[in-house]
Amino acid sequence: EVQLVESGGGLVQAGDSLRLSCAASGITFDDYAIGWFRQAPGKKREGVSCYSSSDKKTYYADSVKGRFTISSDNAKNTVYLQMNSLKPEDTAVYYCGAAEICTTYDYDYWGQGTQVTVSS
């Protein structure tokens, strides 16, 4: 059974940092790209960042470039999203997903999400 489990969300103030984790099981980690997405109330899910295991490339949405950093610990089958200088507009449920490549809309697996709330 494939599982993606997010953790690390919480309530913080603007300017604070959080580190989200996405722990994967049931998949060969090196065969997948792991992406982070978020969905705020009343808004569509948007891509935030992605880590490609095959070529070690990383991708970021313009809205988070310079503030968020994605990284991977292959030994732990875990991808992290370090979020610095958080803003109220970063408030959302954050999901991780697994896909063949980062540049796709077709994700094979999803986690349950973790809430991030940034107060002003």
Side-chain angles (χ1 to χ4, degrees), residues 2-117:
V2 177
Q3 278 194 317
L4 299 178
V5 180
E6 302 97 334
S7 61
L11 171 62
V12 297
Q13 293 186 329
D16 285 350
S17 299
L18 279 174
R19 189 178 78 158
L20 305 183
S21 299
C22 173
S25 60
I27 59 173
T28 302
F29 196 67
D30 290 346
D31 291 342
Y32 284 86
I34 303 295
W36 283 100
F37 294 75
R38 65 188 181 187
Q39 188 166 18
K43 295 189 177 182
K44 292 182 179 179
R45 187 175 294 191
E46 63 170 343
V48 174
S49 183
C50 187
Y51 176 82
S52 175
S53 297
S54 60
D55 56 11
K56 307 296 188 286
K57 285 187 176 180
T58 58
Y59 300 83
Y60 298 95
D62 289 342
S63 58
V64 305
K65 279 181 182 176
R67 299 189 298 123
F68 291 10
T69 302
I70 194 169
S71 62
S72 174
D73 185 337
N74 283 25
K76 296 182 178 179
N77 279 13
T78 299
V79 170
Y80 303 98
L81 185 68
Q82 178 67 43
M83 306 187 296
N84 298 331
S85 302
L86 283 162
K87 304 176 181 180
E89 50 263 45
D90 294 318
T91 295
V93 178
Y94 283 71
Y95 300 88
C96 65
E100 185 176 347
I101 56 174
C102 278
T103 52
T104 182
Y105 293 105
D106 187 16
Y107 272 66
D108 298 315
Y109 306 104
W110 292 96
Q112 82 289 349
T114 186
Q115 176 71 47
V116 172
T117 303

